[in-house]
Amino acid sequence: MQTDRQALEQQADCIEAVLAQHKAPAYVVGGVVTPRFIQFKLRPHPDARLNKITRLGEEIALALGCAHVRIAREGALIHVEAPRRDPAPVRLQSLMRSLTNVPRGAAVLGVEESGQPLLLRLPAANVVHVLIAGTTGSGKTALARTMLASLAMHNAPADLQMVLIDPKGRGFAALNGLPHVRTQVVGGGTAAVVELTRVVDEMERRDRAHSSKPLLVVAVDELADLLQTGGKAADAALTRLAQRGREAGIHLIACTQKPSANLIGSAIKANFPVRLVGSVAGRDEARYASGIADSGAETLEGKGDFLLISRGEATRFQAAWIGEQELQELGRGFHA
């Protein structure tokens, strides 16, 4: 029986053989195995044309026996990424056990391509508010749940509170048991507007008192639905929170399935500097969602395959996952 190393070496040989056959030689000099992908790092021969290598994705995928591969340049190397035959989820609770000294207000996202844990500290000056975008099946709601659960695990209710708005009533229900949640999950329409107005009032009270504690995270499962059912009142409240919430310790995490130009208006562009982008329908949606050109989001695989967009740069990661039963057990653990 072949070892995993033997299988990887065979795949590396296949890639090199395909490139040599098409007179675009390159050599595998390393790689990374992640829960869902195998990434081979290739150093092109000095005479090889890079654009020729990047056009051989179909031939490489056929040789490896997979549906497709992803080819991208990274510095002086070419990365060829193939899906694993035995993909596994990144489980949040297992990942959390490996972490120590998690900063206040830091949410766990998952693991980046090197296999290292990836965290996002909401109070950081370059973070503040976060937009999560992706089509159905991209894993955006699951990623939002992961972020909220990880925040609860490392921040006491006295230090961090949550307001959860879920117009469709499906995404955040399992978080109700967390003591950090101020009220039961709020739906759309009038109820959401009332809750957002309360948060705006609190922001103004905190401004007058020069206070930013406790941290308050306002999470919206579907931004487009909220703006449709809540109308101008919801839009106005969200805009004010996006513009002025940071100094008061208030941070927004908003999910959207339709990252259109109309939805992502000037207020969101200016005040959501961090984007978490999953699979999208095409290059236009990828550009709207990421805020940068040629992010490659349209080539993502879905099911938790994401890009972290910050300061105009993209970091690919596999989102950590926590199931509804685990969330309910987490909530019961706080009340035990």
Side-chain angles (χ1 to χ4, degrees):
M1 185 176 178
Q2 292 181 327
T3 64
D4 290 342
R5 185 175 183 83
Q6 287 173 322
L8 291 172
E9 288 175 349
Q10 277 196 353
Q11 290 178 308
D13 290 342
C14 282
I15 294 171
E16 290 181 353
V18 168
L19 296 177
Q21 182 182 0
H22 289 82
K23 297 180 172 54
Y27 309 97
V28 176
V29 295
V32 176
V33 178
T34 74
R36 290 188 61 198
F37 303 100
I38 301 169
Q39 184 184 94
F40 298 91
K41 300 181 179 182
L42 287 76
R43 188 178 301 282
H45 187 276
D47 295 333
R49 297 183 63 178
L50 297 184
N51 62 349
K52 192 170 184 179
I53 295 175
T54 58
R55 290 199 300 263
L56 291 171
E58 288 295 319
E59 290 79 2
I60 293 173
L62 182 62
L64 295 178
C66 57
H68 49 78
V69 298
R70 187 172 183 264
I71 303 177
R73 179 173 171 241
E74 185 75 25
L77 300 179
I78 299 291
H79 290 185
V80 175
E81 184 180 86
R84 288 181 56 169
R85 293 186 176 92
D86 56 344
V90 177
R91 294 195 172 272
L92 175 62
Q93 289 177 312
S94 298
L95 186 59
M96 294 292 279
R97 286 193 286 269
S98 69
L99 299 174
T100 57
N101 300 321
V102 175
R104 175 178 175 265
V108 175
L109 302 182
V111 294
E112 54 183 301
E113 289 180 301
S114 65
Q116 294 299 309
L118 184 62
L119 282 70
L120 193 67
R121 185 172 177 269
L122 296 179
N126 64 318
V127 179
V128 189
H129 309 302
V130 180
L131 183 71
I132 307 177
T135 59
T136 300
S138 62
K140 61 183 179 300
T141 300
L143 174 55
R145 285 197 300 260
T146 288
M147 294 175 67
L148 296 167
S150 65
L151 285 165
M153 290 178 186
H154 278 288
N155 294 271
D159 299 322
L160 180 138
Q161 296 176 6
M162 302 175 187
V163 169
L164 307 181
I165 299 175
D166 185 0
K168 293 184 178 179
R170 296 191 301 267
F172 292 157
L175 295 163
N176 266 330
L178 297 176
H180 307 72
V181 178
R182 285 190 167 186
T183 63
Q184 295 292 294
V185 175
V186 179
T190 302
V193 171
V194 168
E195 195 62 38
L196 287 172
T197 302
R198 287 174 180 162
V199 176
V200 170
D201 291 343
E202 177 166 347
M203 177 184 71
E204 293 174 346
R205 287 195 299 272
R206 290 184 179 197
D207 283 345
R208 291 192 293 270
H210 304 288
S211 173
S212 61
K213 295 180 181 179
L215 288 179
L216 177 57
V217 177
V218 179
V220 180
D221 185 41
E222 184 46 68
L223 182 60
D225 282 2
L226 173 60
L227 294 176
Q228 182 177 9
T229 60
K232 293 182 179 179
D235 190 5
L238 283 171
T239 299
R240 292 187 68 190
L241 292 172
Q243 291 172 334
R244 295 177 48 203
R246 174 190 168 191
E247 289 77 8
I250 298 173
H251 307 278
L252 301 174
I253 298 176
C255 303
T256 181
Q257 182 179 339
K258 302 171 183 176
S260 65
N262 291 335
L263 176 68
I264 302 179
S266 58
I268 290 180
K269 284 182 180 178
N271 294 289
F272 283 74
V274 170
R275 315 282 179 86
L276 305 177
V277 185
S279 58
V280 292
R283 295 191 68 179
D284 286 343
E285 288 82 359
R287 186 174 69 256
Y288 295 141
S290 65
I292 60 176
D294 299 321
S295 68
E298 70 276 10
T299 67
L300 295 174
E301 300 291 328
K303 299 182 180 178
D305 188 17
F306 274 85
L307 294 176
L308 163 64
I309 309 293
S310 178
R311 296 179 177 176
E313 296 184 357
T315 300
R316 196 171 181 198
F317 70 97
Q318 178 65 34
W321 182 83
I322 183 169
E324 290 192 8
Q325 184 175 347
E326 292 171 304
L327 279 170
Q328 291 167 0
E329 290 172 357
L330 176 63
R332 287 195 292 269
F334 281 105
H335 296 289

